[in-house]
């Protein structure tokens, strides 16, 4: 691989990884399941890489990536349209437009929540993240915490309330409004 290609790879990977969570969240709002969004994300990553040379302004990567994600998601949904549980294209266009419009607010919320999670004691943070990990089994996480399942749910509810309040205060302090 020559140096120019290596630089191109590095720039793409830097931009993609910096925006992947937001793109994934955008796709997740459009497709029915996490597995579906993982499938769509693979296609999006390929399209973004193949068309990266067409991007003139690197500062516009996120907007461009959202546009690609929108078309890839709609294409995937069209292919699945025989399923009765898929929304009409008009509804999906509204969802896509609203998701793109709200993305900066959602990114601010994610950042605030991440900051609040960091404030939790390490063991509490680990348990919260374990409870929300894909395919987590609450019985195992509750056992890990030394609580019954019912007691763990109560504890988790209290922690969630603390995180919601912390996130609200953080956003308010930063002057963020929807």
């Amino acid at each position: 691989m020559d140096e120019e290609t290596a630089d191109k790879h590095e720039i793409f990977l830097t931009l993609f990884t910096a925006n992947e969570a937001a793109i994934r969240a955008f796709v997740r709002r459009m497709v029915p399941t996490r597995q579906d969004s993982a499938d769509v994300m693979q296609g999006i990553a390929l399209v973004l890489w193949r068309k990266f040379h067409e991007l003139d302004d690197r500062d516009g990567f996120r907007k461009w990536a959202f546009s690609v994600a929108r078309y890839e998601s709609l294409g995937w949904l069209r292919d699945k349209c025989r399923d009765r549980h898929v929304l009409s294209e008009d509804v999906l266009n509204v969802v896509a437009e609203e998701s793109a419009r709200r993305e900066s607010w959602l990114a601010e919320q994610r950042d605030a929540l991440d900051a609040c999670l960091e404030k939790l004691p390490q063991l509490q943070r680990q348990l919260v993240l374990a409870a929300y990990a894909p395919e987590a089994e609450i019985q195992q996480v509750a056992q890990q915490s030394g609580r019954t399942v019912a007691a763990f749910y109560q504890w988790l509810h209290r922690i969630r309330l603390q995180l919601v309040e912390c996130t609200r205060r953080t956003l308010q302090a930063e002057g963020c409004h929807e």
Side-chain angles (χ1 to χ4, degrees):
M1 178 182 315
D2 64 16
E3 190 173 332
E4 183 179 337
T5 303
D7 288 346
K8 181 180 168 187
H9 279 134
E10 186 175 329
I11 292 166
F12 174 79
L13 287 173
T14 300
L15 291 169
F16 183 75
T17 55
N19 290 284
E20 183 179 11
I23 298 165
R24 186 174 301 279
F26 177 83
V27 171
R28 184 65 186 96
R29 290 187 297 268
M30 294 191 61
V31 299
T33 68
R34 287 187 193 281
Q35 182 57 50
D36 295 337
S37 66
D39 294 344
V40 174
M41 279 299 294
Q42 288 179 2
I44 291 167
L46 287 172
V47 171
L48 291 174
W49 170 244
R50 287 182 186 138
K51 295 183 177 243
F52 186 62
H53 68 280
E54 296 174 12
L55 180 65
D56 295 328
D57 177 19
R58 293 183 185 143
D59 291 337
F61 182 86
R62 180 179 286 221
K63 184 176 180 182
W64 174 68
F66 272 46
S67 177
V68 170
R70 177 183 183 168
Y71 287 110
E72 288 297 306
S73 297
L74 289 172
W76 183 89
L77 287 162
R78 257 190 305 279
D79 292 345
K80 297 287 184 182
C81 89
R82 281 171 256 152
D83 185 346
R84 297 182 290 135
H85 303 291
V86 175
L87 300 173
S88 74
E89 189 169 340
D90 290 342
V91 171
L92 290 170
N93 278 323
V94 169
V95 169
E97 287 169 15
E98 184 65 16
S99 293
R101 187 184 67 74
R102 295 182 53 138
E103 178 49 38
S104 64
W105 168 247
L106 294 171
E108 290 168 355
Q109 284 183 314
R110 282 191 299 273
D111 291 345
L113 177 58
D114 286 344
C116 291
L117 276 167
E118 287 298 317
K119 293 176 184 176
L120 289 176
Q122 183 177 357
L123 180 59
Q124 287 183 359
R125 184 174 53 249
Q126 287 172 340
L127 289 170
V128 168
L129 294 174
Y132 288 101
E135 304 191 25
E137 294 187 23
I138 290 297
Q139 291 88 354
Q140 289 179 345
V141 181
Q143 185 178 16
Q144 225 181 337
S145 76
R147 295 174 176 87
T148 65
V149 171
F152 183 75
Y153 274 120
Q154 289 176 347
W155 173 85
L156 190 58
H157 177 71
R158 287 191 302 275
I159 294 295
R160 279 195 305 250
L161 292 175
Q162 289 174 10
L163 290 171
V164 166
E165 183 58 26
C166 176
T167 301
R168 187 193 61 72
R169 282 192 318 267
T170 301
L171 290 170
Q172 191 174 36
E174 293 174 358
C176 299
H177 304 320
E178 184 176 21

